[in-house]
Amino acid sequence: MDVNAAVAAAAAIAGTVTGVIAMLAFRWSERDQKRPTRTSLHTDPMLPPGVDTVLSVLRSSAVVLDEADAVVKASSAAYALGLVRGGRLAVEPMLQMARDTRRDGEIRQVELDLPRRGTGRGEALAVSARVAPLGSRLVLLLVEDLTEARRIEAVRRDFVANVSHELKTPVGALSLLSEAVMDASDDPEAVQRFAGRMQIEATRLTNLVQELIDLSRVQNDDPLEDAEPVRVDELVAEAVDRCRHQAGTKQITMATNTGAPEGLEQGGGGRQVGPADLHVWGNRGQLAAALGNLVENAVNYSPARTRVGIAARRVTAPGGDLIEIAVTDQGIGISEKDKERVFERFYRVDPARSRATGGTGLGLAIVKHVAASHGGEVTVWSAEGQGSTFTLRLPEAGAARDRAAQRHTGPGDEAEAADGADGHAGSSWSSPSPAASPSSPAAPSSPYASLPAPEVLP
């Protein structure tokens, strides 16, 4: 009996001690979990209230550094620019600015050129960095990308320089010619000759000013505010009529597949081979000016007694049907290095020929802006000595197409008209293949073949 009592007492004491030890261990574990660790001192809880939210909405790249120069917080843009790598600030000048600001509390700002990540071409990334203290131990770094702003400023600077040069040339010529007229006042033949030159330079100056106005208008205005369905065949007819005199002087034949105006040859011996009733949606004046510039360039850069073709068709695209208008010539062609720059303002492939034809170097720049503002594009295929094809692609005016189908058919024929329209959507024309001689080199591939005489672009 005494033995059993002793065993029971010992068991009770052992259970009590075990319970006490377990309770103490649990309390100790809770205390350890609540105690701040070294890493927790340098994470989000250190940021002042609301700072995290403010940084997330800033357009600038943001980096927060602690007293050990470790990154506490960094935006995704900072990682994209390559400012933060491996949890550290990777740009030494910015890191030194942060240390100086932490030491004296002054706000600092500097502009830097950084190497662009992922390119081996040595392109620089222009940034503006601003460092300010954030609380007692943190430093805030804000970085703004200035690359695009600097590029636009460079374009504007070049534009002003080019405009000044282009204006100076005809103005200087007029000044010299006027002096020549005064000196030759007793020679009627010389006066007439100099007056003719003055008229040419005055026309060149007028054209330059007008194209500058047109370029400014297409860059600043929204063409779709006054948009309307525009018939493609009417645009082609206007462009051809604009260049009729120049083409006639050089005996250049104009060929089109959109319907032949009076005096204009139509592909296929007068047969309508292109899709009819093509419409685009946009500003009629801007579209006519763009297509007119393409046709005028084709005529100016084509030799005498050649042909210029203007062809239109509907093509199917994922975002909706497009209207393609291709202008093909048999001119001097464009080299590979020039093709990348032909749409730049004031750039000329052949400056001497451009001066002779009165070109300003703005025509293709206007075409590019008009196409972009209408949701389209302009592309070029060319081979030196074989000619060029400029293709203007614009979204089709779907509503105008539907109205045209309803106008030409009765209520019972709407389904048939829709089927016919779908048939046109998948149609295309075949450009004639150049008649190559055995000794001629193979021409580069192009969506539109160059236009050889005597065939015409259908």
Side-chain angles (χ1 to χ4, degrees):
M1 193 71 179
D2 292 338
V3 175
N4 292 336
V7 171
I13 293 172
T16 302
V17 171
T18 302
V20 170
I21 293 174
M23 183 179 66
L24 291 175
F26 178 74
R27 292 291 179 85
W28 186 267
S29 175
E30 267 192 336
R31 185 180 302 175
D32 280 346
Q33 290 180 358
K34 292 181 179 180
R35 181 181 303 163
T37 62
R38 177 173 297 180
T39 56
S40 67
L41 290 175
H42 303 285
T43 53
D44 288 348
M46 286 188 59
L47 293 176
V51 172
D52 195 5
T53 303
V54 173
L55 295 181
S56 65
V57 298
L58 288 177
R59 295 180 61 183
S60 304
S61 304
V63 181
V64 179
L65 304 176
D66 63 7
E67 65 274 11
D69 293 334
V71 175
V72 175
K73 183 77 176 180
S75 64
S76 57
Y79 285 98
L81 290 178
L83 303 179
V84 179
R85 298 175 187 172
R88 309 289 295 185
L89 186 61
V91 183
E92 185 60 31
M94 295 182 186
L95 186 59
Q96 187 59 45
M97 285 175 56
R99 291 168 180 168
D100 295 341
T101 297
R102 187 184 301 111
R103 184 180 64 254
D104 55 26
E106 292 186 5
I107 298 176
R108 289 175 169 81
Q109 185 169 352
V110 68
E111 291 188 3
L112 301 170
D113 290 332
L114 307 178
R116 191 186 296 269
R117 295 183 64 187
T119 62
R121 295 174 292 177
E123 296 180 354
L125 191 69
V127 298
S128 173
R130 185 178 179 88
V131 181
L134 185 64
S136 58
R137 293 181 296 175
L138 302 181
V139 174
L140 173 63
L141 171 66
L142 296 178
V143 179
E144 186 174 357
D145 188 355
L146 303 178
T147 307
E148 184 64 15
R150 285 192 180 180
R151 187 192 67 81
I152 293 175
E153 181 61 29
V155 170
R156 289 176 179 173
R157 187 166 55 249
D158 292 343
F159 180 70
V160 171
N162 288 328
V163 168
S164 302
H165 174 74
E166 294 295 334
L167 289 174
K168 181 180 178 180
T169 301
V171 169
L174 287 172
S175 177
L176 292 175
L177 289 169
S178 64
E179 293 179 4
V181 169
M182 293 177 63
D183 295 338
S185 57
D186 297 333
D187 186 352
E189 184 178 348
V191 169
Q192 186 176 7
R193 185 172 66 254
F194 291 142
R197 286 295 307 167
M198 291 177 68
Q199 187 175 17
I200 293 174
E201 294 298 333
T203 301
R204 178 182 176 187
L205 183 60
T206 302
N207 292 339
L208 175 59
V209 172
Q210 184 59 51
E211 291 205 345
L212 285 172
I213 294 173
D214 293 341
L215 181 60
S216 176
R217 183 178 295 117
V218 300
Q219 286 180 324
N220 297 327
D221 294 349
D222 182 6
L224 300 184
E225 288 183 358
D226 302 321
E228 58 177 330
V230 182
R231 289 177 60 98
V232 174
D233 56 349
E234 293 178 357
L235 291 178
V236 173
E238 289 183 29
V240 169
D241 190 62
R242 167 177 164 180
C243 305
R244 188 184 303 275
H245 176 70
Q246 299 98 305
T249 302
K250 300 173 67 175
Q251 300 180 23
I252 293 177
T253 302
M254 311 281 283
T256 178
N257 78 325
T258 59
E262 183 181 355
L264 181 68
E265 183 176 340
Q266 184 176 338
R271 182 173 56 89
Q272 183 72 22
V273 297
D277 260 351
L278 296 181
H279 293 73
V280 291
W281 184 262
N283 184 292
R284 182 186 184 88
Q286 292 189 13
L287 292 173
L291 184 57
N293 287 347
L294 292 180
V295 176
E296 186 174 22
N297 276 0
V299 172
N300 287 338
Y301 285 89
S302 292
R305 293 180 294 278
T306 56
R307 300 194 180 207
V308 170
I310 307 101
R313 66 174 178 176
R314 178 187 295 120
V315 295
T316 303
D321 288 352
L322 297 175
I323 301 300
E324 281 190 356
I325 307 174
V327 180
T328 303
D329 62 61
Q330 296 173 286
I332 59 176
I334 306 172
S335 65
E336 286 296 327
K337 64 180 182 66
D338 288 327
K339 278 196 290 188
E340 299 177 359
R341 302 190 59 189
V342 290
F343 295 104
E344 293 181 11
R345 291 172 289 193
F346 296 110
Y347 186 79
R348 297 178 175 90
V349 174
D350 187 348
R353 181 185 292 262
S354 182
R355 283 193 297 269
T357 60
T360 63
L362 293 174
L364 291 180
I366 293 174
V367 175
K368 178 182 177 181
H369 282 286
V370 170
S373 62
H374 283 76
E377 64 174 353
V378 58
T379 58
V380 58
W381 172 91
S382 184
E384 290 187 88
Q386 298 186 36
S388 306
T389 297
F390 285 84
T391 304
L392 184 63
R393 295 183 180 89
L394 298 168
E396 183 182 17
R401 175 183 169 188
D402 295 338
R403 285 197 297 270
Q406 294 175 3
R407 184 170 62 251
H408 294 304
T409 59
D413 299 329
E414 289 181 3
E416 182 179 350
D419 292 339
D422 291 339
H424 281 308
S427 66
S428 62
W429 73 86
S430 300
S431 300
S433 301
S437 62
S439 59
S440 62
S445 60
S446 163
Y448 306 94
S450 56
L451 192 66
E455 296 178 323
V456 297
L457 188 68

